[in-house]
Amino acid sequence: MLSYDVVEWGKPLEKIERETPKPRGTEVLIRLKYCGVCHSDVHIRDGYFDLGGGKRLHMGERGMRPPVTLGHEPFGTVIAAGPKSADVPIGEDRLVYPWTGCGDCVRCRDGLDNYCMTPRMIGLQRPGGYADHLIVPHPRYLIDASGLDPVWAATLSCSGLSTYSAVSKLKPIPRDEWIAVIGAGGLGLSAIGMLRALGHERIVCVDIDDSKLTAAIAAGAAATLNSREGNVQQKLKEINGGALYGAVDFVGSADTAQLALGALRKGGKLVLVGLFGGAIQLSIATTILRAITVQGSHLGSLAELKAVVALAREGKIKPIPIQTRPLSEVSRTLDELKVGSVVGRVVVESES
């Protein structure tokens, strides 16, 4: 099999050829067709997340040792299964839920693999989708996405799922309140669509790139704001009539988080998703007196991914701009994501 791997942290991915794995136990083998390229892989390829204050969370602390095959938005054809698997759709295409856990703990048994304390996630601790074949630990992680464009379907297992789980944490959202989406990259555009699918229209999108803000309007944002133009807090207040009910930060820097926090109304909520990194100072007294909530949102559950696919089938969410590229261009794509030059999403196509 062929894959593009991190051989050294911070360096371009390298093409590797090895023997195609054989599924054992409950495992399932997928011949990959597509894999979405997610911005979080930029940080993972670099080898760390920025925790702020000069501190870093290194990938080695997450159980990752090079060579590592990244890619956590895989879609492909089921071609083989281990002897302990059952009801395996051999020969059929499936979307893969990648956020697999240990499989044994209470969280995994409850279907909350993404909250497992000893995760074994595809594209992180397990080999991922920047390859032509993939081992999935159990058939329950295979999602039938028939009827959807497979290129778009591939992005649903991370950008679709992460945005659905994040915006759901704001519910119930009063129809006359404003929600800010910070960052108009692939996840931000997806979040606008998710909010619209949940029946909410008062959405303001904040970014530093006018072309991305144009895409945000096309995705359904009611207003946009370029944060490089100055007086951002004042302009945000003018748009939303005073203060925000909630904000979802898909950048996740100290500046964007502080911007969102300062714009919340009393009782408002900030949901953090982006992993740009850094730290914020949070006054205990002010947090209490303003009754605000700051919540992290990490990926989503298997049940939530099935809900996302159902929304897509019903036409309640629509594809955002997606480019398709050959798998060999995955490292270049990560470079472009790092500098912010990608509008929408990129999906790489297997060369097999």
Side-chain angles (χ1 to χ4, degrees), residues 131-179:
D132 57 16
H133 288 80
L134 176 72
I135 288 287
V136 179
H138 195 282
R140 67 173 173 267
Y141 300 119
L142 305 178
I143 308 295
D144 183 0
S146 57
L148 301 180
D149 177 351
V151 175
W152 179 40
T155 70
L156 298 180
S157 60
C158 182
S159 67
L161 173 61
S162 295
T163 55
Y164 176 83
S165 187
V167 303
S168 293
K169 291 176 172 61
L170 295 173
K171 296 192 299 185
I173 307 172
R175 294 182 63 86
D176 59 345
E177 297 271 15
W178 281 84
I179 301 296

Side-chain angles (χ1 to χ4, degrees), residues 3-157:
S3 64
Y4 286 84
D5 293 5
V6 176
V7 175
E8 182 179 351
W9 299 120
K11 301 295 184 180
L13 305 184
E14 295 187 19
K15 183 178 180 179
I16 304 290
E17 293 189 24
R18 56 172 66 89
E19 184 178 352
T20 301
K22 296 180 180 179
R24 300 177 297 178
T26 62
E27 293 176 340
V28 178
L29 179 64
I30 305 289
R31 181 185 292 116
L32 289 164
K33 290 186 171 181
Y34 302 103
C35 187
V37 184
C38 182
H39 195 281
S40 61
D41 277 345
V42 172
H43 306 291
I44 297 169
R45 184 184 65 168
D46 284 343
Y48 65 90
F49 291 121
D50 180 2
L51 300 180
K55 298 178 181 180
R56 292 178 172 181
L57 173 63
H58 293 275
M59 293 303 111
E61 299 174 61
R62 304 189 78 198
M64 300 176 68
R65 299 285 187 277
V68 175
T69 308
L70 304 181
H72 50 256
E73 293 185 334
F75 181 99
T77 306
V78 180
I79 61 171
K84 294 184 179 180
S85 59
D87 301 321
V88 179
I90 300 294
E92 297 183 16
D93 288 350
R94 287 294 185 268
L95 174 65
V96 177
Y97 175 81
W99 311 117
T100 52
C102 68
D104 296 322
C105 69
V106 173
R107 295 172 184 85
C108 289
R109 291 198 299 270
D110 286 344
L112 298 172
D113 294 65
N114 55 309
Y115 289 162
C116 178
M117 296 298 289
T118 55
R120 296 285 299 155
M121 295 179 174
I122 291 170
L124 285 89
Q125 295 86 7
R126 298 179 188 271
Y130 298 158
D132 57 16
H133 288 80
L134 176 72
I135 288 287
V136 179
H138 195 282
R140 67 173 173 267
Y141 300 119
L142 305 178
I143 308 295
D144 183 0
S146 57
L148 301 180
D149 177 351
V151 175
W152 179 40
T155 70
L156 298 180
S157 60

Side-chain angles (χ1 to χ4, degrees), residues 181-266:
V181 171
I182 312 295
L187 266 69
L189 297 180
S190 178
I192 293 168
M194 290 295 175
L195 285 164
R196 294 298 299 261
L198 295 175
H200 198 72
E201 297 182 356
R202 293 194 171 187
I203 306 161
V204 55
C205 186
V206 182
D207 202 281
I208 60 174
D209 185 325
D210 284 337
S211 65
K212 292 182 179 180
L213 292 174
T214 299
I217 290 292
T224 60
L225 179 60
N226 190 317
S227 58
R228 281 184 169 165
E229 294 179 355
N231 299 318
V232 182
Q233 289 282 2
Q234 181 58 39
K235 290 179 179 178
L236 202 50
K237 289 180 180 179
E238 291 172 1
I239 290 171
N240 61 46
L244 297 169
Y245 173 84
V248 190
D249 185 355
F250 291 102
V251 179
S253 71
D255 288 343
T256 56
Q258 291 288 4
L259 168 65
L261 280 171
L264 292 178
R265 69 160 170 77
K266 190 170 184 178

